[in-house]
Amino acid sequence: MTRKFFVGGNWKMNGNKESYKEIFAFLNENLSSDVEDVVVGVPSIYLDYVKNNLPKNIALAAQNCYKVEKGAFTGEISPDMIKDIGATWVILGHSERRNVFGESDELVAEKIGHSLEKGLHVIACIGELLSERESGKTNEVVFRQMNAMKNHIKDWSKVVIAYEPVWAIGTGKTATPAQAQEVHQDLRKWISENISKDVAENVRIIYGGSVTGSNCRELAKEKDIDGFLVGGASLKKEFVQIVNARV
Ligand code: G2H
C-alpha cells in the first residue's frame, strides 16, 4: 500500500489579504520544502492573490465550481477559469454546499465529472448528518453519495475522497479514530465491490471534521485514513502539525 498522505486546508469564507499574510508567513517558515500533496482551498475571489503568494510546493484549490464550460450562470466559476489562474484542484460536494446551498448528489457528481474532464483534480466530499448516524444510516448515505459520483468518474487517480461526518464539522466534536476508520474501511470495501480492487487500494480517503494539531496524530495512525481536510485549524499555525501528522 503506497498511498501518499494528503492534507487539504479549507479556508471556507474566512480571512482577507491582510490575514492571509500570516498564513503565508507560517507556511513559509515552518513547512518543510519537500512536503507533497498539501492543498489549500480558498475563496474564489482570492484564488489569484493566494496563487501569487503561496509557497510553491502547496497546491491551490477552488472551493466549488459549476458543471459546464461557460455561459449565463451568474455568480459561478468554471473549471477552465480555475485552471486559467493556475489552480489545479477543486473541492466539490462539501457538506456546506450540500446542506446550506441544497446541492444534490447528482449535481455534485456532474460537477466532479466536468472538472475531471477539464483536467482538474477533485477533493470529493461525502458524509452523513447526525440524525442519519443516529438512525444507523451512515453507510447507506455515504454509499449513495459515492454511487452518484461513480458514473461520472473515469480517472480515479485525480480524485481524493473526503469523508466528513456533518456532525463533526466545525463543532469541536471529532469522530474518534475508530469511528472514522470504520467508515473509511467500509468505503474502501464498497469501492472494491462497486468500482475496482485497484481503485480501492489506491484512492486516498481523507477525514475531515474538527481536525486539530492535538487529534491529528491518533487519527493518522488508522490504516485507511490517508490524510485530512482541515477547516478552522488550516487558518492557524497548527496546520503545519497536521501536515506533519505522519512524519
Ligand atoms: C470540515 C472541515 C473542513 P472543520 O468542513 O472541510 O472543517 O475542520 O472546521 O470542521
Side-chain angles (χ1 to χ4, degrees):
M1 186 186 76
T2 54
R3 295 187 298 269
K4 215 184 282 171
F5 199 67
F6 180 102
V7 177
N10 179 5
W11 295 359
K12 306 194 180 183
M13 196 177 74
N14 291 300
N16 53 37
K17 285 186 180 178
E18 201 48 41
S19 68
Y20 294 164
K21 285 181 189 159
E22 286 171 35
I23 301 181
F24 303 143
F26 72 65
L27 291 175
N28 268 317
E29 278 163 31
N30 301 300
L31 213 56
S32 112
S33 57
D34 56 3
V35 289
E36 291 177 69
D37 283 349
V38 180
V39 176
V40 291
V42 311
S44 57
I45 196 164
Y46 292 122
L47 279 167
D48 200 35
Y49 172 71
V50 174
K51 174 71 194 161
N52 293 325
N53 290 281
L54 200 63
K56 297 298 167 222
N57 51 347
I58 301 182
L60 188 62
Q63 298 176 1
N64 186 27
C65 68
Y66 199 47
K67 62 174 181 174
V68 297
E69 200 169 75
K70 62 179 178 178
F73 301 103
T74 303
E76 294 293 309
I77 60 170
S78 70
D80 280 340
M81 292 171 181
I82 295 168
K83 281 178 62 190
D84 193 34
I85 64 97
T88 47
W89 286 84
V90 61
I91 300 170
L92 290 170
H94 190 278
S95 79
E96 287 142 21
R97 298 302 319 171
R98 293 176 186 268
N99 298 308
V100 181
F101 299 99
E103 294 192 7
S104 65
D105 293 344
E106 188 51 31
L107 176 60
V108 170
E110 286 177 309
K111 289 179 175 199
I112 292 172
H114 181 62
S115 298
L116 291 170
E117 267 168 33
K118 288 293 180 175
L120 286 176
H121 291 67
V122 174
I123 300 173
C125 305
I126 57 174
E128 82 287 4
L129 299 164
L130 181 59
S131 55
E132 292 165 336
R133 171 160 284 256
E134 286 176 343
S135 54
K137 292 195 171 138
T138 298
N139 281 0
E140 187 186 315
V141 171
V142 295
F143 295 166
R144 187 199 72 218
Q145 292 167 331
M146 288 294 299
N147 200 46
M149 289 176 199
K150 190 180 88 166
N151 301 328
H152 294 264
I153 302 178
K154 292 190 192 103
D155 182 358
W156 282 88
S157 71
K158 296 206 165 64
V159 179
V160 168
I161 297 163
Y163 167 61
E164 302 203 315
V166 182
W167 47 272
I169 294 179
T171 57
K173 276 190 208 164
T174 325
T176 63
Q179 278 175 322
Q181 166 60 23
E182 188 181 12
V183 180
H184 284 226
Q185 186 175 298
D186 291 349
L187 279 166
R188 220 176 279 290
K189 183 161 179 278
W190 184 92
I191 294 167
S192 176
E193 289 165 359
N194 293 276
I195 299 168
S196 76
K197 283 201 167 59
D198 184 57
V199 172
E201 180 70 13
N202 291 299
V203 71
R204 268 94 53 96
I205 307 177
I206 62 174
Y207 168 79
S210 297
V211 176
T212 64
S214 359
N215 60 28
C216 62
R217 286 195 168 266
E218 284 306 305
L219 286 158
K221 282 182 192 157
E222 297 293 340
K223 78 175 172 55
D224 288 295
I225 298 182
D226 304 315
F228 302 114
L229 186 57
V230 187
S234 70
L235 302 160
K236 305 179 193 159
K237 272 190 194 162
E238 68 187 285
F239 185 61
V240 176
Q241 280 170 260
I242 300 171
V243 168
N244 293 328
R246 277 255 176 93
V247 175

